Amino acid sequence: MTTALEVRVLGPLEVVTPAGTAPLGGALRTLLAALAVDAGRVVAADTLADRLWEDGGLDAGASTVHSYVSRLRRRLEPQRPPSGWQVLRTRAPGYQLVLGAAELDAEEFRRLLALARGRTDPAAGREDVARALSLWRGPAYADVPAGFARAEAARLHEQRLEAEELAAELDLALGRHRQVAGRLPALVAAEPFREGLRAALVLALYRADRQADALRCYEEGRRLLADALGVDPGPQLRRLHELVLRQDPELDAPVPAAPAPTAGTGPPAAAPASRRPALPTPPTPLLGRDDDLARLHRLLDGGARLVTLTGTGGVGKTRLALAAAREATGRADARFADGAVLVPLATLDDATAVVPAVARALGLGAVEGPGARDAVAAHLHPLRLLLVLDNLEHLLDAAVDVAELVRSCPHLVVVATSRAPLRVAGEVEHRVEPLALPAAGAPAGEVLSSAAVTLFCDRARDVVPGFRLDEGEVRVVADVCTALAGIPLALELAAARVRVLGPRDLLARLDEALSGGRRDLPERQRTMQATLDWSCGLLDAPARGLFRRLGVFSGGWTLPVLEAVEGPAVLPLLEALVEQSLVRVEHGDDGARFSMLEPTRQHAQRLLGDAERAQAQAAHAAAHLALAEEAQGGYQRDAQVGWLRRVEREHANLLAAVDASCAAGDGETAGRLVWAMWLFWWMHGHLAVGRRACEAALDLPGTSPRVRTRVDLALGAMLFAQGEHQRAEEVWERAHALAARTGDHHALAHAVAGTGITALARGDAASAVQRLRRALPLAAALPDASDGPWLRSLGHAWIGTALTALGGERGGGPEAREHFETSLALSRARGDRLTTFVALYNLAQAEAPHDRDAARRRLHEGIVLSAQVGDLANLSHFLESLVVLDAAADGTGGRGAPALSATLLGAARAARDTVGSDVYGFYVRDDAQLATARDLLRQRLGEERFAAAVLAGATLRTADVVRLAVEGTVTATATATATAAAAAPATAAR
């Protein structure tokens, strides 16, 4: 079968049709991945359903699968062929994705890899491997989180590593050890236990006359294997080490054979060397670009002949292009026998001047007029040359001439730098991203080894040779680099100021620090403002206006939100900003998300006038208020996970909308925003942020009584969650009084329930029962489309809790149990995870004394639901209850695995510390039982092993915590961490 369709899975999943890249939503992307992993084979509809809905969600089922298949077919084949669907076929008992090897990049990768392994000529095999590796655009199935895709991605990753090993082996056989020595360090660092890669690097370093580095590379691998796994290197790597130590001739590089002359061609008609200037050598080393260089070499080795490096101004495109050109032309092969030529274009202002500039760089002198391109092409035709065209973004009309030169000159390769792609046939775009930043809260060693901080410190030492950071300054420099978004030009400009500013002063004066640069830089690169002004100058007036107004966004945006702010005609303007690298775009499960690097966003803000800023902020706030109020109802129903994730992504924008509304004195908008957001803040633990927003909106003028009451309700929730129960009760009583005066029944139900749970949290169970019973009919009287059903289900759970506390009996008796069961039934009917896990927690406490298995099932379900909605505070309560339950079961710490229980204690503490509060102050807890369980675990494990297990739990990801709690297992990496901690010598126990 042959179609014009390509399915690409070696990176983010893409479908390329003759009309371009087909848009796929999250569900269709997962469906296509579920078919692609078994391409050519029939996949049963039930299997597809299992892959689409691993958690057995409400949408799971064959009928929904069929609906999704129909939608996917239209994406793959917009017009149904007369003979029927060709790509996605119906074959009992399911469906079959029919693609040729060239149409599915994973299959093409495997085909090329098998072809390379069967070659007897290492050069031909190396070309096959290069073509195979060039198909990779990132981790396989990078944007499909489902388990089946992750398993297939792991298999493909293993095959990719095998291809890298084969590439290194063939390069060494061809005498290309210097290229291997330059390419492999980053890969070996990423795969430290891969002995084949390490052996190739050791041999390459040795052959490159770097014996000390070769021995150091071996020793690092030996130490890693010993420390992590307790084993020695394999026999092949150990033998290689011995041969290096004695400088055995067996390790000498092969002598490359001279290339045979091609019949009918003489030596290339190269221009005299004296007329071709050498590539400039920058005065400072290129840092943090090993992965980019490796990717460029894979593209060039794989046959790419027109590569465009795109990216924002100052990101280092020119430096990267020159470094790649120097390495490519320094090889022993004849690919670029005629070297490389740089053609700087920044000073040109006319696209017709590009070809004459190329002619001058080639030493042809003045070549002008209509025949200029043909004359340059005739000169380049026999040459094996790499042409670097630098700064082409303002001369894009010359892209056709560039493409024609590549087409007509069989051995010419062009690497162009541009803030926008050229949009011509044969172009391969490589996006140059800012340097990697340290993670928030990373330890000092990790901060200092990050690419952005490394560059900053290196350039700082250029101006202050003794530049050093003390422990307190490491985090400050990390903040500097983060504020500058890892843009190399910005980092270099800021680092040059350390001669007069310490790191803390520099952070406070970043705008000043970026206002001047080296005199030998082009004018457009002497300041960040000049760099960004250069990019803005390439836009028309409407696009410049949009660029300015985008400065009011924070944390990115989606196209629907932007259309709500700017109107439906904004897409062409947004595309222009993306093309000029002023706006970034990332594709995720929920579609495209756009953003600006922070220095770019700040520049856009500086360009806004007061009137335009006020108008943009008002439109931004209105759009995000609509989003927040739509999400508000979703938090209480089965769609809450999706809404919580979406609002988490928009959180920075929503806070910016609150701040702008408060600054404008718009209390109505600010108050409606905080009321729409309070439950999100509660569940995701953003309590301090939510409290500040509520307090800011509290006393703004012009706020209606209805909104003023709801600001108090939201503030009371934040105070309660932070443990300030007395203050929360005062605020809720104030809301109660205002709601009673204005006849606001909705607010009245919330306020009465709020005062009920504060009484419960303060230990006044009798008042709590009375108040909560009064709140229940108020909630029941509210419409179904309001918060009434949600308050009813919570009210039943809270009444049961209060009855339990009032009776002093664990379990609370049959009346309490009846309320818990009613709450659970109401919650499940709406698909509301929050009220479900509140009921589950209380039922688990009620069942624990007489049915531990039932209680454990309740806790397991609550743990899963807590993780689904991202409620870490609730997760901590459930984990601790599970530890108590298991300790009570056998008095040893549970299920014969005290280390597991201690690990869960550490995970619970870390979850609570992340939020900073217990939040669920209405839960009835027995802290004495928890203390007893903790003492039992400490006694069983010994102090050292107990502390190690707790520490291991604090480092686990939420998904691993859930797996450990529910299944008793975690991923291999997490298991190694936890078991290593638990296996520490139990000296205290002895």
Side-chain angles (χ1 to χ4, degrees):
M1 172 198 165
T2 300
T3 71
L5 177 79
E6 282 185 64
V7 176
R8 300 172 180 172
V9 301
L10 302 181
L13 193 147
E14 288 182 352
V15 174
V16 181
T17 69
T21 301
L24 292 178
L28 294 188
R29 186 182 297 110
T30 304
L31 174 61
L32 180 56
L35 291 160
V37 298
D38 285 311
R41 295 185 289 274
V42 176
V43 186
D46 288 344
T47 300
L48 290 175
D50 290 341
R51 291 175 179 177
L52 278 167
W53 299 285
E54 294 176 324
D55 58 355
L58 296 177
D59 292 334
S63 61
T64 311
V65 169
H66 179 71
S67 172
Y68 282 1
V69 166
S70 298
R71 289 165 55 193
L72 180 59
R73 276 180 173 144
R74 290 193 292 273
R75 297 288 198 281
L76 301 179
E77 296 179 89
Q79 300 296 324
R80 179 176 180 174
S83 57
W85 300 110
Q86 298 298 303
V87 179
L88 181 46
R89 302 174 180 176
T90 301
R91 294 288 185 269
Y95 304 92
Q96 180 186 29
L97 184 68
V98 182
L99 294 169
E103 294 153 354
L104 179 61
D105 58 357
E107 287 305 313
E108 179 68 359
F109 167 76
R110 294 186 181 106
R111 185 189 72 80
L112 289 169
L113 187 56
L115 186 63
R117 287 179 174 139
R119 297 277 197 186
T120 57
D121 177 8
R126 183 62 179 88
E127 289 181 6
D128 293 331
V129 177
R131 289 165 58 203
L133 289 172
S134 70
L135 297 172
W136 286 79
R137 299 169 289 110
Y141 295 94
D143 52 357
V144 185
F148 75 87
R150 304 278 39 89
E152 179 66 11
R155 286 189 289 270
L156 285 166
H157 179 68
E158 176 67 21
Q159 293 168 6
R160 182 181 187 177
L161 293 177
E162 292 171 5
E164 293 283 6
E165 287 181 344
L166 179 59
E169 175 187 330
L170 293 171
D171 276 337
L172 290 169
L174 292 165
R176 301 172 182 171
H177 42 272
R178 296 190 185 278
Q179 292 93 308
V180 175
R183 186 177 74 246
L184 279 195
L187 192 55
V188 169
E191 301 288 341
F193 301 119
R194 193 90 184 184
E195 292 195 23
L197 291 173
R198 189 173 295 275
L201 179 57
V202 169
L203 181 56
L205 291 168
Y206 175 80
R207 287 182 176 177
D209 300 321
R210 295 168 60 185
Q211 183 177 354
D213 290 339
L215 293 172
R216 187 180 301 111
C217 179
Y218 170 84
E219 180 58 26
E220 287 173 355
R222 185 202 63 76
R223 188 167 60 251
L224 278 170
L225 288 169
D227 292 347
L229 304 176
V231 299
D232 292 324
Q236 291 181 326
L237 191 54
R238 291 202 307 271
R239 181 174 182 274
L240 176 60
H241 178 236
E242 293 169 0
L243 294 174
V244 170
L245 285 172
R246 62 173 182 256
Q247 300 184 5
D248 197 298
E250 181 181 334
L251 301 182
D252 290 348
V255 178
T262 303
T265 63
S274 60
R275 299 180 66 183
R276 271 220 212 121
L279 292 176
T281 302
T284 54
L286 181 67
L287 299 174
R289 293 299 186 192
D290 290 347
D291 290 344
D292 290 283
L293 282 172
R295 163 74 172 155
L296 287 177
H297 288 313
R298 286 197 296 271
L299 289 174
L300 296 178
D301 291 343
R305 296 184 52 229
L306 175 52
V307 179
T308 306
L309 308 188
T310 61
T312 191
V315 81
K317 301 181 291 294
T318 301
R319 291 288 305 273
L320 180 61
L322 290 174
R326 277 192 299 274
E327 290 190 12
T329 54
R331 299 178 177 184
D333 59 40
R335 176 81 189 281
F336 300 113
D338 297 293
V341 173
L342 171 67
V343 186
L345 302 171
T347 59
L348 303 184
D349 56 8
D350 183 355
T352 62
V354 170
V355 170
V358 172
R360 288 192 297 274
L362 292 170
L364 299 180
V367 177
E368 307 282 350
R373 189 177 72 191
D374 291 341
V376 171
H379 179 80
L380 287 171
H381 189 274
L383 300 184
R384 297 178 179 272
L385 187 76
L386 177 61
L387 198 63
V388 179
L389 303 179
D390 189 34
N391 288 109
L392 198 53
E393 61 268 1
H394 60 304
L395 305 166
L396 292 178
D397 287 344
V400 174
D401 288 331
V402 173
E404 182 59 27
L405 287 175
V406 172
R407 189 197 65 78
S408 60
C409 302
H411 308 301
L412 175 66
V413 174
V414 172
V415 173
T417 73
S418 173
R419 299 184 193 186
L422 307 188
R423 286 190 176 184
V424 293
E427 178 188 29
V428 179
E429 183 182 357
H430 175 77
R431 181 83 182 172
V432 183
E433 298 291 351
L435 295 176
L437 294 163
E446 187 177 326
V447 170
L448 291 171
S449 63
S450 69
V453 174
T454 298
L455 176 66
F456 178 90
C457 293
D458 186 81
R459 299 301 187 260
R461 282 189 288 271
D462 290 343
V463 296
V464 180
F467 179 76
R468 294 288 185 275
L469 296 176
D470 62 34
E471 186 172 346
E473 291 173 330
V474 170
R475 189 67 252 169
V476 177
V477 168
D479 290 342
V480 168
C481 295
T482 300
L484 300 178
I487 300 174
L489 175 61
L491 295 172
E492 294 187 355
L493 293 172
R497 294 303 183 94
V498 300
R499 61 164 58 93
V500 292
L501 295 173
R504 288 182 176 81
D505 290 334
L506 180 62
L507 182 59
R509 297 169 175 260
L510 274 182
D511 278 351
E512 295 176 59
L514 302 182
S515 63
R518 300 194 333 252
R519 294 184 179 90
D520 61 338
L521 286 172
E523 186 66 34
R524 70 184 191 285
Q525 291 182 342
R526 291 185 186 176
T527 67
M528 275 304 298
Q529 180 173 335
T531 296
L532 293 167
D533 282 342
W534 168 271
S535 293
C536 292
L538 304 176
L539 304 171
D540 60 18
R544 284 198 299 273
L546 176 61
F547 173 75
R548 293 192 302 271
R549 294 188 296 276
L550 289 176
V552 304
F553 283 86
S554 182
W557 62 90
T558 61
L559 181 58
V561 169
L562 183 62
E563 287 175 330
V565 175
E566 290 283 335
V570 73
L571 181 57
L573 303 180
L574 180 62
E575 285 182 313
L577 299 181
V578 171
E579 277 213 337
Q580 288 298 332
S581 300
L582 289 166
V583 167
R584 297 151 59 89
V585 58
E586 295 180 4
H587 296 277
D589 290 341
D590 57 348
R593 185 167 186 83
F594 303 87
S595 63
M596 285 174 158
L597 295 173
E598 188 57 24
T600 307
R601 189 177 79 89
Q602 291 177 5
H603 185 68
Q605 288 179 326
R606 283 192 291 268
L607 296 177
L608 272 173
D610 291 342
E612 188 178 26
R613 182 190 307 276
Q615 184 180 9
Q617 287 177 333
H620 174 272
H624 286 89
L625 174 59
L627 172 65
E629 291 185 333
E630 184 184 0
Q632 186 176 19
Y635 299 148
Q636 302 171 10
R637 295 176 178 83
D638 55 0
Q640 66 190 163
V641 171
W643 276 114
L644 287 166
R645 288 176 180 167
R646 182 173 177 186
V647 171
E648 186 67 63
R649 287 190 290 271
E650 301 297 343
H651 193 203
N653 275 316
L654 288 157
L655 291 177
V658 173
D659 290 344
S661 299
C662 289
D666 183 358
E668 197 75 4
T669 297
R672 287 171 63 187
L673 276 164
V674 300
W675 173 241
M677 291 288 291
W678 79 265
L679 188 53
F680 164 78
W681 288 328
W682 175 293
M683 284 195 282
H684 274 205
H686 299 302
L687 305 177
V689 168
R691 178 175 177 174
R692 285 196 298 271
C694 291
E695 289 171 340
L698 195 60
D699 295 316
L700 291 171
T703 306
S704 66
R706 180 183 183 280
V707 171
R708 176 67 170 75
T709 306
R710 281 155 179 74
V711 174
D712 269 342
L713 292 174
L715 177 59
M718 297 299 98
L719 292 166
F720 182 90
Q722 289 187 306
E724 296 187 33
H725 301 140
Q726 184 63 46
R727 174 98 191 278
E729 187 167 29
E730 294 168 1
V731 172
W732 274 332
E733 285 175 345
R734 188 170 69 201
H736 179 279
L738 183 55
R741 284 200 306 271
T742 58
D744 189 339
H745 301 293
H746 181 273
L748 201 61
H750 273 279
V752 174
T755 59
I757 63 172
T758 53
L760 180 59
R762 289 190 289 100
D764 186 357
S767 294
V769 171
Q770 181 184 18
R771 294 173 182 179
L772 291 167
R773 279 182 168 156
R774 190 154 51 91
L776 206 55
L778 292 173
L782 295 175
D784 287 344
S786 70
D787 289 355
W790 184 72
L791 284 172
R792 279 184 62 209
S793 55
L794 272 176
H796 279 291
W798 290 335
I799 291 172
T801 307
L803 288 171
T804 301
L806 185 63
E809 174 190 356
R810 193 179 184 203
E815 185 183 1
R817 176 65 178 261
E818 183 179 346
H819 279 289
F820 294 146
E821 294 286 6
T822 301
S823 173
L824 184 61
L826 291 171
S827 304
R828 290 200 193 282
R830 292 192 334 277
D832 174 17
R833 293 161 178 81
L834 184 150
T835 49
T836 297
F837 61 57
V838 171
L840 288 170
Y841 181 88
N842 288 289
L843 283 169
Q845 309 309 309
E847 290 166 342
H850 53 82
D851 190 346
R852 291 192 177 94
D853 288 339
R856 183 175 290 110
R857 287 194 296 272
R858 305 282 195 191
L859 293 174
H860 284 174
E861 184 181 357
I863 286 168
V864 171
L865 295 178
S866 300
Q868 285 179 0
V869 299
D871 193 329
L872 296 182
N874 195 69
L875 178 63
S876 71
H877 287 289
F878 272 81
L879 292 174
E880 289 174 345
S881 293
L882 184 62
V883 170
V884 169
L885 183 71
D886 287 339
D890 60 9
T892 64
R895 289 173 286 176
L900 184 150
S901 291
T903 304
L904 293 181
L905 278 181
R909 186 172 69 186
R912 186 174 283 112
D913 289 347
T914 299
V915 176
S917 179
D918 282 350
V919 179
Y920 289 85
F922 48 76
Y923 281 162
V924 174
R925 292 159 37 108
D926 191 333
D927 290 335
Q929 285 191 324
L930 181 60
T932 299
R934 188 181 290 110
D935 290 342
L936 280 171
L937 293 171
R938 186 179 282 107
Q939 178 183 353
R940 179 72 182 273
L941 291 169
E943 191 65 45
E944 186 175 346
R945 290 177 63 197
F946 174 78
V950 169
L951 180 62
T955 66
L956 291 178
R957 297 179 305 120
T958 300
D960 287 323
V961 172
V962 173
R963 196 174 292 111
L964 184 65
V966 176
E967 303 172 12
T969 61
V970 289
T971 61
T973 303
T975 300
T977 303
T979 55
T987 53
R990 295 195 294 270

